[in-house]
Amino acid sequence: MSSAGVVLLCFIKSRINAAIYQEILEHFMLPSADKLYGDADFISQEDLTPAHTAKSTKTWFNDHGITVLDWPANSPDRNPIENL
């Protein structure tokens, strides 16, 4: 979800590691971002879970030219889903 709207929902049936997270980014986040923002830039907000902070995930974001806003794990400001 974003300020621009909501799109694809991904149901996850396994534990998340960096490789699985990057597949989710590739197949769900990128198409959603393209639909919401087109060619405009956007910032992805990530917390400090291991899949989000893995070197390979940081490389994935860098390779795709996506800016990442780091956010503390368990931040009360990090739960916008309740407002959705």
Side-chain angles (χ1 to χ4, degrees):
M1 72 178 167
S2 81
S3 61
V6 296
V7 284
L8 300 173
L9 181 61
C10 175
F11 291 96
I12 304 164
K13 296 181 180 182
S14 65
R15 294 182 139 254
I16 300 294
N17 60 28
I20 291 172
Y21 184 57
Q22 291 162 39
E23 294 234 354
I24 292 168
L25 293 172
E26 190 76 35
H27 298 289
F28 289 88
M29 192 272 287
L30 283 182
S32 296
D34 187 48
K35 181 177 180 181
L36 292 173
Y37 300 104
D39 291 333
D41 291 337
F42 65 94
I43 298 172
S44 180
Q45 183 177 343
E46 305 293 319
D47 63 17
L48 299 177
T49 60
H52 297 180
T53 59
K55 287 181 184 180
S56 62
T57 300
K58 290 181 180 184
T59 299
W60 187 94
F61 277 110
N62 190 46
D63 290 348
H64 287 83
I66 299 170
T67 302
V68 174
L69 174 67
D70 290 325
W71 204 260
N74 301 320
S75 170
D77 295 331
R78 178 76 169 126
N79 289 316
I81 192 74
E82 296 189 19
N83 297 314
L84 184 62

